[in-house]
């Protein structure tokens, strides 16, 4: 069963390389994947939300989701699983960006993107939430296109990001309620 999944992972990446990569998409997807480096675009959006009173609560939620993905995916799972990057294993696969230095599983770009975008989608007007979700999907797919993640890395990163978004949202609500109760008792 694992061999079948591994073979499927490999074949999907080779399909991306041989059938989808082209001179028009490559520069676009390189930029899109770079937006997710270190969670950059999501950190910028979070800071922006924290600065605006109307979106401060959502910004607090996305801050917690960013911390959650850092802890769960980047510091814990990547080190425990320690999966080799696909371009180091799959013969003939080339990568299109600077080689990442950490391990492959799970995709931190996907986890971070979905952790923030899902909160934005659920909590903000659709004119902000829908583009955030589209960007998260594009960043996740770009990791396959540029050849630095297996599909299962991206899938698990996406699932963990979604789960972390719900956890961060619930934790933020709890912290905010507790703070409101504490402030009421002080008056």
């Amino acid at each position: 069963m694992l061999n079948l999944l591994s073979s499927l992972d490999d074949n999907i990446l080779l399909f991306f390389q041989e059938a989808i990569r082209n001179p028009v998409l490559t520069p676009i997807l390189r930029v899109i994947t770079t937006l997710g480096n270190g969670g950059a675009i999501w950190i910028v959006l979070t800071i922006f939300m924290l600065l605006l009173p109307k979106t401060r609560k959502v910004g607090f939620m996305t801050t917690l989701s960013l911390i959650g993905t850092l802890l769960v995916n980047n510091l814990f799972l990547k080190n425990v699983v320690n999966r080799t990057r696909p371009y180091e294993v799959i013969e003939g696969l080339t990568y299109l960006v600077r080689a990442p230095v950490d391990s492959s599983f799970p995709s931190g770009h996907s986890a971070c993107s979905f952790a923030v975008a899902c909160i934005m989608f659920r909590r903000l007007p659709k004119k902000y939430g829908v583009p955030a979700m589209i960007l998260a999907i594009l960043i996740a797919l770009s990791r396959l296109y540029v050849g630095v993640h297996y599909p299962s890395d991206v899938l698990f990163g996406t699932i963990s990001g979604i789960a972390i978004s719900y956890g961060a949202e619930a934790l933020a609500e709890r912290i905010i309620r507790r703070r409101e109760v504490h402030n009421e008792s002080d008056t």
Side-chain angles (χ1 to χ4, degrees), residues 15-172:
F15 172 77
F16 263 82
Q17 178 173 287
E18 294 162 14
I20 299 176
R21 280 187 188 171
N22 66 68
V24 174
L25 280 179
T26 296
I28 295 167
L29 288 172
R30 281 176 136 164
V31 169
I32 288 171
T33 211
T34 302
L35 291 173
N37 288 353
I41 188 69
W42 306 110
I43 292 168
V44 168
L45 288 171
T46 293
I47 291 168
F48 187 70
M49 287 185 286
L50 287 168
L51 292 174
L52 299 173
K54 269 184 146 176
T55 57
R56 194 164 288 142
K57 182 176 176 181
V58 177
F60 179 55
M61 291 174 178
T62 59
T63 299
L64 293 178
S65 75
L66 287 168
I67 293 167
T69 58
L70 173 69
L71 295 174
V72 171
N73 292 295
N74 294 71
L75 298 179
F76 180 69
L77 288 173
K78 280 187 180 279
N79 291 310
V80 170
V81 176
N82 199 26
R83 188 177 197 187
T84 305
R85 293 280 177 172
Y87 54 80
E88 296 177 19
V89 178
I90 302 171
E91 192 169 322
L93 181 68
T94 58
Y95 56 96
L96 302 177
V97 292
R98 191 167 34 114
V101 294
D102 58 355
S103 64
S104 192
F105 183 89
S107 167
H109 281 66
S110 300
C112 184
S113 295
F114 278 89
V116 174
C118 285
I119 292 171
M120 291 177 70
F121 184 78
R122 290 191 302 267
R123 294 289 182 147
L124 295 177
K126 296 303 174 214
K127 67 182 180 182
Y128 303 114
V130 170
M133 286 300 291
I134 291 169
L135 181 58
I137 292 165
L138 289 174
I139 287 174
L141 290 174
S142 76
R143 304 308 283 166
L144 303 175
Y145 186 92
V146 300
V148 295
H149 277 293
Y150 293 97
S152 55
D153 299 341
V154 170
L155 178 62
F156 188 84
T158 298
I159 292 168
S160 72
I162 293 168
I164 289 167
S165 79
Y166 280 105
E169 203 171 12
L171 179 60

Side-chain angles (χ1 to χ4, degrees), residues 179-187:
R179 187 173 179 207
E180 288 169 352
V181 167
H182 179 72
N183 287 343
E184 286 174 10
S185 65
D186 285 347
T187 56

